[in-house]
Amino acid sequence: MAADARRYFDNAATSYPKPEPVYAALDRWARDWGATAGRAAHPAAVAGSRLLFDLRRELAALVGGDADRVVLTKSATEALNLALFSLAAPGDVVAHGPLEHNAVMRPLTHLAAARGVRLVEAPGDGHGRVTPDAFARFVEAQRPDVFVTLHASNVHGLAQDAGALGDICRKRAVWFVLDAAQTGGCLPLDAAAMGVDALCLAGHKGLLGPTGIGALVLSARAAENTRPLIHGGTGSVSEKETMPDFLPDALEAGTPNTFGAAGLLAGVRYLAERTVADAAQCEAELRGRLLERLRPIPGLRIFGDDPGPAVAVVSVAAAMAPSDLAHLLDERYGVAVRAGLHCAPRAHRFLGTAPAGTVRFAPGLFTPAKVIDEVVDALAEILRSPS
Amino acid sequence: MTACALVFRSVHDVLKAEARTKERGFATRLIPVPKQINPDCGLALQVACGDLAAVEGLLADMRERLQGAYRLDGAAFTPLEPAL
């Protein structure tokens, strides 16, 4: 049985449904081409190479990057690992925010143990956002070498002022790594203007592609300081048993994910035509309606209820365990939400919701507004009549 | 028309050169490269020899990515001194 797309409120994990051109592109690629890109001169292989080239170029245009410095990865997690393992040198001070996902905290914890990197947490406001003024003072005091943080929280959806944070990093020569897993395709991004050295993107969330593909968009100076996480064939400099020293090949060992690229390119083209600004407006309206309907529910704690920039992600907690609430939403009403820690235990500790976590509602671009009302009514009914 | 070819270090680079030259109206196209010149993907950018200087000027910022310029004599690639 297929998932109920109308009541799928787990778009912060993976967007669903996708725009129709994404499904068509995946099918077309599998049937018509399907060859390995960059490894031969026959038409199918060249089609694969063109696909990756077009994806780099059009993704770069969407997020303010340079196509020559777009590295395709399997996920935002891999992009973050590539950035952090490249830019954090032994003994460096690496700063992060209070809300980071484990895609940031786990590589940082490893780097602390393996390279002696010292981790410092920048202060957050009441919602955990790192504000520019507080960050400027923090940078002055801590002198970090690298700052990594999320653009928007995957727990409550609120966004940080990445441009202002990037400006401080640029002035202080701090590497700025931005985890844009939740905001790529959902909020306007301009990596160059925002002073981002390493923009880390998930292909399967707001960018509307399939799972298994992400991207790392590097600044010129960061591109000079990268090193591969894995080593292997690239289709270039094959006479050598060492990795090429140029992008993107240096960071893309192994057969590229052309299926993922085909779907992601279709998602990027959909967003380019619709415009990210329009998608952001849609997200804001969904979020606004969700918050408006949630506020009157007695005994409900809402996280992220703030008028600042945000994506359509809201968490709640009630007297009932989040996992039970999520189960009843699914069982009684066919509503798909995510309960628990959302791979962000640090964020939940900050918000006071660890260890049980919250129930997260994440509608998407194709969620009808009236379904927001139905889902909130379902939540209210469960809380009124839990058994 | 005598044909020439430019060989780059990577597939991304040759596709970038192709896109840029086509955008400027040059009749370029991708062709296979003999394995003795490049053992890899085997793609080069074919250019009319009469356009070679103009194309090399257009791609001047890709100097470091260019591995060689050639004159095509049938299937043979004869090295040229690149102007880049």
Side-chain angles (χ1 to χ4, degrees), chain A residues 62-359:
Chain A
L62 196 74
V63 301
D66 184 316
D68 287 351
R69 300 192 296 271
V70 173
V71 178
L72 299 176
T73 62
K74 72 172 185 178
S75 58
T77 299
E78 186 189 353
L80 284 159
N81 273 261
L82 261 173
L84 294 171
F85 278 70
S86 291
L87 301 176
D92 273 359
V93 175
V94 179
H96 58 81
L99 302 177
E100 309 308 336
H101 189 279
N102 271 346
V104 167
M105 294 315 303
R106 285 182 173 172
L108 287 187
T109 302
H110 176 81
L111 286 167
R115 290 189 189 170
V117 162
R118 185 163 70 85
L119 306 181
V120 289
E121 183 176 293
D125 67 6
H127 296 286
R129 291 171 296 194
V130 179
T131 59
D133 287 348
F135 183 62
R137 291 191 294 275
F138 169 82
V139 169
E140 196 63 37
Q142 295 289 340
R143 305 278 178 180
D145 300 286
V146 179
F147 177 50
V148 55
T149 196
L150 46 77
H151 191 192
S153 165
N154 72 311
V155 175
H156 60 43
L158 289 173
Q160 304 188 115
D161 187 348
L165 299 175
D167 197 42
I168 294 165
C169 288
R170 186 160 38 196
K171 286 174 181 161
R172 294 292 181 181
V174 178
W175 293 115
F176 183 30
V177 179
L178 188 64
D179 171 6
Q182 291 298 328
T183 55
C186 297
L187 293 180
L189 285 167
D190 187 335
M194 295 161 85
V196 179
D197 288 302
L199 180 70
C200 304
L201 296 162
H204 64 107
K205 299 179 194 267
L207 290 172
L208 304 172
T211 52
I213 189 160
L216 172 63
V217 181
L218 294 160
S219 68
R221 71 178 191 126
E224 297 295 319
N225 286 274
T226 54
R227 63 183 86 175
L229 283 178
I230 62 169
H231 302 248
T234 59
S236 55
V237 203
S238 296
E239 69 279 13
K240 293 185 179 173
E241 293 185 339
T242 54
M243 289 296 288
D245 60 1
F246 50 83
L247 293 180
D249 301 35
L251 304 181
E252 291 186 0
T255 300
N257 176 7
T258 45
F259 292 96
L264 179 54
L265 178 58
V268 166
R269 285 178 173 167
Y270 172 87
L271 287 164
E273 186 174 336
R274 178 174 176 159
T275 75
V276 175
D278 183 73
Q281 179 63 31
C282 176
E283 294 257 332
E285 289 171 6
L286 290 167
R287 178 185 178 83
R289 188 162 182 143
L290 188 53
L291 287 168
E292 183 186 331
R293 294 300 315 279
L294 287 169
R295 285 184 195 117
I297 297 178
L300 195 68
R301 295 173 67 201
I302 303 172
F303 301 90
D305 192 355
D306 181 276
V311 293
V313 177
V314 174
S315 265
V316 301
M320 185 183 295
S323 55
D324 292 344
L325 192 47
H327 174 69
L328 290 174
L329 280 165
D330 174 33
E331 189 177 64
R332 292 189 192 173
Y333 301 97
V335 176
V337 294
R338 182 167 171 189
L341 296 177
H342 311 99
C343 295
R346 182 168 291 261
H348 282 283
R349 284 196 294 273
F350 181 90
L351 297 169
T353 48
T358 56
V359 176

